């Protein structure tokens, strides 16, 4: 079995102006061998949908640190799915303002179309998800 590198579109949420998380994730993804296009912070649903339609990435990673990831992420994934895009989409970071993971919000994000939802700082879970994409999409006999 050979690992496949996944072209990844990385983005912040519409209301999140932080960039350090995006730089960290870009470096992490690139160190794992995945080419990254970083759209930056404050990306609207329209911009994200247009970029995905034009570039057809193998994965979209949405990051939030301002605590509004749940609300913004729900809107973003609904826009992507409404436009007919079926690519894998994941979200992680601070998804709520309460400071703790909310299982109901996680369930709603998954129901809306996310393929995975990661708790703040759960880098190992993201790495496992990336490995599963490679392992299932390119099995070499």
């Amino acid at each position: 079995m050979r690992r496949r590198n996944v072209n990844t579109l990385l983005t912040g949420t519409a209301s999140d102006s932080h960039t350090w998380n995006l730089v960290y994730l870009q470096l992490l993804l690139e160190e794992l061998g995945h080419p990254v296009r970083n759209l930056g912070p404050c990306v609207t649903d329209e911009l994200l949908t247009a970029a995905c339609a034009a570039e057809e990435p193998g994965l979209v990673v949405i990051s939030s640190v301002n605590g509004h990831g749940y609300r913004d992420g729900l809107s973003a994934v609904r826009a992507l799915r409404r436009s007919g895009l079926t690519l894998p989409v994941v979200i992680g970071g601070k998804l709520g303002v309460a400071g703790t993971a909310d299982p109901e919000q996680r369930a709603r994000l998954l129901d809306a179309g996310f393929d995975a939802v990661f708790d703040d700082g759960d880098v190992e879970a993201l790495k496992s998800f990336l490995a599963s994409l490679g392992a299932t999409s390119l099995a070499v006999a």
Side-chain angles (χ1 to χ4, degrees), residues 23-104:
V23 172
Y24 170 81
L25 282 169
Q26 180 174 352
L27 293 172
L28 173 71
L29 292 163
E30 289 174 345
E31 287 173 2
L32 294 171
H34 304 287
V36 174
R37 166 125 148 75
N38 187 340
L39 286 180
C42 298
V43 173
T44 64
D45 296 347
E46 294 78 17
L47 175 59
L48 177 61
T49 300
C52 289
E55 300 175 27
E56 300 179 0
L59 173 67
V60 175
V61 175
I62 300 175
S63 175
S64 176
V65 295
N66 72 353
H68 300 286
Y70 168 72
R71 185 191 71 188
D72 289 348
L74 200 57
S75 177
V77 79
R78 285 178 174 161
L80 290 170
R81 299 310 184 212
R82 205 173 30 249
S83 70
L85 294 165
T86 60
L87 67 168
V89 183
V90 301
I91 189 168
K94 294 190 185 314
L95 302 178
V97 294
T100 58
D102 183 333
E104 290 182 20

Side-chain angles (χ1 to χ4, degrees), residues 103-122:
E104 290 182 20
Q105 286 184 344
R106 172 188 293 272
R108 282 188 223 119
L109 290 166
L110 292 169
D111 285 346
F114 278 103
D115 295 276
V117 177
F118 303 110
D119 292 331
D120 188 25
D122 196 353

